Amino acid sequence: MIDYTNPNLIIETAKIEPGKIAWRSPSNIALIKYWGKHGRQLPSNPSISFTLDHAFTETTLEYAPKTGVDQGIDLQFFFHKEEQPAFKAKIQKFLESIHDIFPFLRQLHLTIRSGNSFPHSAGIASSASSMSALALCLCSLEHELFGTLESDQDFHNKASYIARLGSGSACRSIYSHLAVWGKTSIAPNSSDEYAVEYSDVNDIYKSFQDSILIVSAKEKSVSSRAGHALMENNVFAKPRFEQARMRLNRLSESLKSGDLEAFGTIVEDEALTLHALMMASTPSYLLMEPNSLNIINEVRAFRKETNLPLYFTLDAGPNIHLLYPGYIRDKVLKFQEEVLLPYCEDNMWIDDHVGIGPIELDSDSEVAQ
Ligand code: DP6
């Protein structure tokens, strides 16, 4: 196990100059799903995802010498320019939980401002983008104050590790195109503790589009956290974790060869398995909506009729991600407009695609509004 605990990361108080760090970090969509965890946010099976581009969080971290005598984390937090006590409490608790990794945080007055590119009401998960953006800010701050994390690899591994502690799937958002989290033979440098970039892929996947169809923007009735916990007593848990490993191995072959049909079959099976696991939990629950099923049926009918490589996946919610290579974009957008958007809430969708990963922003930039 990696031990990032470091009591030496303490600043000589006289030397603290105020400063500011800013990162933009995208969301990601899992192809093989992380569903079930143990210990301190360790996954029960390896997962792989496409890093997205347009669905992102921008976060700035301002720091200055602390004036009060309080021994804890001294934090102000703004989300889309407003103070959000519930979000603030979550971030404060998270920062307290990693004080042994970043002991200098308790020496500073911190102001965190965060904003998403997508409407908060869109009901799409923001923990991957927001926790990865925060983790990147924290690692940049460590580097700025102590000159540590010099190599890209050290920086990315630690940022991914910290993001994981905030929200498991967030650890995959640190990398461009595709990322693997969890020990697996398809990536020799993989780890349960952080994600790594996965580059043994045909170029066709780098052009992949993701139309996120918003079937419902309502808050989920069962959170991912609660869903993971329900896997502990799910009778299918053991074979499921085994199945995920086998599917990942098979998926890696189609990623390498560019076999889109094999890719699509595995990805759709994974999405339906995720929701089947929810239905088979005790208590059972459903996050799909009738219109999620309508869209799935329409996508399958479209594929049969046109032979075009259009596939779907879902996160832990009712919304549908349409995955397809860039060269069929015009045809998919026409089909989407005519047939699928009527199934969406207010015809809402997000036009996204596979992206290059997080970017550090100028420290004077304003975060997304
Ligand atoms: C269905 O990463 O949101 O999106 O670790 O409790 O924060 P926590 O859970 P989270 O779970 C995501 C589950 C998923 C599948 C995936 O992204 O792999």
Side-chain angles (χ1 to χ4, degrees):
M1 295 294 266
I2 301 170
D3 186 5
Y4 279 124
T5 306
N6 188 351
N8 297 326
L9 297 180
I10 288 286
I11 324 161
E12 281 182 47
T13 332
K15 287 194 183 150
I16 302 178
E17 295 275 346
K20 188 171 165 186
I21 283 155
W23 277 89
R24 169 188 298 171
S25 188
S27 190
N28 67 75
I29 178 68
L31 306 171
I32 300 293
K33 310 290 184 183
Y34 146 60
W35 199 240
K37 58 179 162 179
H38 62 95
R40 194 176 177 190
Q41 292 275 93
L42 296 166
S44 298
N45 62 263
S47 57
I48 189 167
S49 55
F50 279 143
T51 299
L52 296 178
D53 187 72
H54 289 164
F56 60 76
T57 299
E58 287 181 352
T59 297
T60 61
L61 170 63
E62 291 162 44
Y63 58 96
K66 194 177 195 174
T67 46
V69 288
D70 179 8
Q71 294 298 298
I73 298 286
D74 176 11
L75 173 70
Q76 271 188 298
F77 178 79
F78 299 90
F79 181 70
H80 287 268
K81 295 202 165 153
E82 308 236 323
E83 293 200 66
Q84 291 274 359
F87 281 11
K88 179 188 163 174
K90 199 175 154 198
I91 301 288
Q92 183 129 13
K93 196 167 158 213
F94 172 60
L95 296 177
E96 288 291 0
S97 75
I98 51 173
H99 79 269
D100 51 350
I101 298 175
F102 298 124
F104 56 88
L105 291 178
R106 285 181 167 177
Q107 296 179 281
L108 299 169
H109 172 70
L110 304 170
T111 306
I112 296 177
R113 297 174 207 274
S114 200
N116 294 338
S117 60
F118 44 92
H120 180 50
S121 63
I124 68 166
S126 58
S127 68
S129 54
S130 61
M131 281 301 173
S132 54
L134 179 59
L136 287 158
C137 286
L138 294 171
C139 289
S140 284
L141 178 57
E142 180 192 316
H143 179 69
E144 199 158 302
L145 294 174
F146 302 97
T148 47
L149 306 177
E150 196 59 62
S151 79
D152 279 356
Q153 189 179 341
D154 287 351
F155 184 85
H156 289 140
N157 285 357
K158 187 160 182 179
S160 181
Y161 177 103
I162 300 295
R164 179 199 109 224
L165 296 179
S167 176
S169 56
C171 72
R172 297 185 310 239
S173 279
I174 302 293
Y175 303 96
S176 68
H177 304 110
L178 284 102
V180 164
W181 170 37
K183 193 76 199 139
T184 160
S185 56
I186 71 159
N189 56 348
S190 57
S191 166
D192 282 355
E193 297 183 86
Y194 52 82
V196 294
E197 190 162 327
Y198 189 70
S199 47
D200 196 7
V201 293
N202 187 289
D203 275 350
I204 187 85
Y205 296 103
K206 297 189 178 160
S207 82
F208 253 61
Q209 311 288 301
D210 180 0
S211 297
I212 311 172
L213 306 181
I214 310 300
V215 169
S216 168
K218 276 208 294 288
E219 202 173 316
K220 293 186 285 197
S221 56
V222 179
S223 69
S224 285
R225 182 175 297 262
H228 285 290
L230 286 172
M231 281 303 284
E232 279 165 36
N233 292 319
N234 189 311
V235 292
F236 299 110
K238 208 163 163 249
R240 155 62 195 162
F241 301 143
E242 194 46 42
Q243 175 192 57
R245 275 169 215 287
M246 276 159 45
R247 283 186 176 157
L248 181 56
N249 290 347
R250 279 177 30 230
L251 188 75
S252 71
E253 286 159 24
S254 60
L255 287 172
K256 192 173 180 162
S257 67
D259 180 344
L260 295 186
E261 198 177 333
F263 165 89
T265 305
I266 298 167
V267 166
E268 291 191 352
D269 288 352
E270 260 300 284
L272 296 180
T273 300
L274 171 69
H275 285 261
L277 289 165
M278 296 172 192
M279 294 179 210
S281 292
T282 310
S284 62
Y285 64 106
L286 278 165
L287 293 184
M288 278 201 268
E289 299 274 344
N291 280 341
S292 317
L293 292 177
N294 285 329
I295 292 174
I296 289 171
N297 287 332
E298 296 282 11
V299 167
R300 288 188 159 173
F302 174 83
R303 201 163 61 226
K304 203 163 172 199
E305 197 179 297
T306 62
N307 251 323
L308 293 173
L310 173 67
Y311 303 100
F312 67 83
T313 187
L314 291 89
D315 260 342
N319 301 325
I320 304 281
H321 290 246
L322 294 183
L323 301 177
Y324 53 96
Y327 73 88
I328 63 166
R329 181 175 160 88
D330 290 350
K331 291 189 180 105
V332 172
L333 291 192
K334 189 164 177 285
F335 165 63
Q336 192 178 292
E337 182 79 29
E338 287 168 5
V339 179
L340 302 182
L341 292 192
Y343 294 119
C344 296
E345 184 163 332
D346 298 330
N347 287 340
M348 211 188 326
W349 72 287
I350 296 168
D351 187 1
D352 215 335
H353 58 83
V354 172
I356 57 165
I359 51 170
E360 187 163 11
L361 303 171
D362 278 349
S363 59
D364 56 2
S365 47
E366 285 260 318
V367 294
Q369 297 305 298

